[in-house]
Amino acid sequence: SAGPGFSTKNRLRRQQVLAVEEEKHHQMELKLKLEVEAKELERHKITLEEKTTVFDKIVREVRTIKRTGLIMETHPQSLEVTGRLKVAARELCKTKYGDYVDQKPYRLAVTIQYQNDQF
């Protein structure tokens, strides 16, 4: 016999206690990680909502200008607004889909619906 305190029973008990403590530690780390991820997701959500609001506001500006009959491609005010729309669209895409250093520019598919079926 190896003496008191070193029995197989004590070793097994110590291993069980250590296993339980490791599991508690793992669960605590997992909980903290999930809390951090939830906060990051909420921050991202707020940012996404804010950027969507800005984008939608600029789209309304573009539509208002278009209703006046101005030529969007040449009028200084419309060029300024469409420039802001491009920036807002890029920022919205980055927030929604990710912004990676090695990423190529986004390619978007756009469906154009004309107001008049004659075209």
Side-chain angles (χ1 to χ4, degrees), residues 48-65:
L48 180 60
E49 289 172 1
E50 290 171 346
K51 289 182 180 183
T52 300
T53 300
V54 168
F55 179 80
D56 290 344
K57 179 180 178 232
I58 298 171
V59 166
R60 285 191 299 275
E61 287 181 54
V62 168
R63 288 183 178 156
T64 300
I65 293 171

Side-chain angles (χ1 to χ4, degrees), residues 52-106:
T52 300
T53 300
V54 168
F55 179 80
D56 290 344
K57 179 180 178 232
I58 298 171
V59 166
R60 285 191 299 275
E61 287 181 54
V62 168
R63 288 183 178 156
T64 300
I65 293 171
K66 287 177 89 170
R67 280 193 291 268
T68 67
L70 290 175
I71 299 172
M72 296 294 290
E73 294 79 13
T74 59
H75 191 271
Q77 181 189 4
S78 65
L79 289 172
E80 184 268 329
V81 173
T82 53
R84 288 191 294 123
L85 183 62
K86 288 179 188 177
V87 170
R90 286 184 186 119
E91 290 303 312
L92 184 59
C93 285
K94 287 177 188 177
T95 301
K96 190 169 184 176
Y97 302 112
D99 184 18
Y100 308 100
V101 176
D102 60 344
Q103 178 176 317
K104 293 181 181 178
Y106 285 104

